[in-house]
């Protein structure tokens, strides 16, 4: 199925910035051809996912670091919608059910957004208590980790269960999101 192959190869082109993938279907009289090449990696992926939505901040927040041999690459962007879209990948393999990396991401995101709202007085002034769901409303994010020896819950690799990944992802997102909030108070 051309659409299935195109979807998966598009993910790979985004996750491996600068790689050129050409998909060609010669089964019909007219060749169907798609060239996939994206600079910007996960940031470009988030922009692509949100191409028909109105962003709440000018550019996606990009976080990239390596700790304890685990690489973390994440981009997030809020839009005016209500739906949360978070795509998780381990070594370019998609995890539909998330796992340790998603848990670390969500924990750090909630901690930093609620902490910023409280320290800035916004939560007190508006008389609201933010929850994790509030923090993720309208969020589009792509989280990609590179793990030397990943462990998954099943053969289909739908969920990452490597316990060493959560604290690394949580630490990276905590540090970098906190710095971003301090550097961009207007946004």
């Amino acid at each position: 199925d051309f659409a299935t192959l195109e979807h998966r190869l598009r993910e790979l082109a985004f996750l491996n910035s600068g790689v050129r993938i050409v998909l060609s279907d010669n089964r019909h009289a007219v060749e169907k051809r798609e060239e996939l090449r994206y600079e910007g990696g996960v940031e470009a992926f988030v922009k692509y996912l949100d191409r028909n939505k109105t962003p709440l901040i000018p550019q996606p927040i990009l976080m990239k670091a390596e700790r304890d041999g685990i690489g973390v690459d994440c981009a997030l962007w809020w839009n005016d919608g209500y739906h949360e879209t978070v795509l998780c990948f381990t070594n370019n393999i998609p995890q539909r059910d998330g796992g340790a990396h998603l848990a670390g991401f969500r924990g750090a995101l909630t901690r930093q957004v609620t902490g910023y709202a409280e320290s800035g007085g916004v939560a007190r002034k508006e008389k609201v208590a933010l929850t994790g769901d509030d923090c993720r409303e309208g969020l589009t994010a792509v989280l990609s980790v590179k793990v030397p020896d990943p462990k998954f819950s099943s053969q289909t690799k739908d969920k990452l269960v490597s316990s060493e990944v959560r604290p690394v992802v949580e630490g990276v997102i905590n540090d970098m999101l906190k710095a971003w909030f301090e550097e961009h108070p207007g946004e």
Side-chain angles (χ1 to χ4, degrees), residues 33-48:
R33 181 182 168 92
E34 192 69 40
E35 188 169 318
L36 309 162
R37 184 172 198 271
Y38 302 99
E39 297 295 334
V42 293
E43 182 181 13
F45 200 170
V46 166
K47 286 180 176 180
Y48 173 81

Side-chain angles (χ1 to χ4, degrees), residues 109-125:
L109 179 74
T110 302
R111 185 175 305 108
Q112 289 307 316
V113 172
T114 56
Y116 187 78
E118 287 169 10
S119 70
V122 176
R124 206 176 321 104
K125 189 171 76 179

Side-chain angles (χ1 to χ4, degrees), residues 15-158:
L15 294 170
N16 300 286
S17 183
V19 170
R20 181 173 160 256
I21 300 172
V22 178
L23 175 61
S24 220
D25 185 354
N26 297 317
R27 296 177 294 180
H28 308 290
V30 179
E31 177 190 19
K32 193 174 185 180
R33 181 182 168 92
E34 192 69 40
E35 188 169 318
L36 309 162
R37 184 172 198 271
Y38 302 99
E39 297 295 334
V42 293
E43 182 181 13
F45 200 170
V46 166
K47 286 180 176 180
Y48 173 81
L49 293 170
D50 268 9
R51 65 192 177 280
N52 297 325
K53 297 179 180 131
T54 307
L56 297 181
I57 56 177
Q59 290 296 316
I61 301 169
L62 184 61
M63 296 169 274
K64 189 172 189 153
E66 187 174 321
R67 288 189 188 162
D68 303 330
I70 297 171
V72 179
D73 197 2
C74 180
L76 52 111
W77 211 11
W78 281 275
N79 59 58
D80 63 352
Y82 299 101
H83 187 68
E84 170 193 358
T85 305
V86 180
L87 301 180
C88 299
F89 298 89
T90 303
N91 300 346
N92 292 334
I93 302 165
Q95 277 77 56
R96 187 181 59 213
D97 300 333
H101 48 349
L102 180 60
F105 170 77
R106 284 184 169 167
L109 179 74
T110 302
R111 185 175 305 108
Q112 289 307 316
V113 172
T114 56
Y116 187 78
E118 287 169 10
S119 70
V122 176
R124 206 176 321 104
K125 189 171 76 179
E126 299 292 330
K127 295 184 177 88
V128 294
L130 290 173
T131 65
D133 287 338
D134 296 326
C135 300
R136 295 188 307 271
E137 187 175 293
L139 175 71
T140 300
V142 175
L143 174 63
S144 175
V145 293
K146 303 287 190 224
V147 183
D149 186 27
K151 291 162 195 66
F152 300 97
S153 64
S154 67
Q155 240 181 333
T156 55
K157 299 181 179 176
D158 287 337

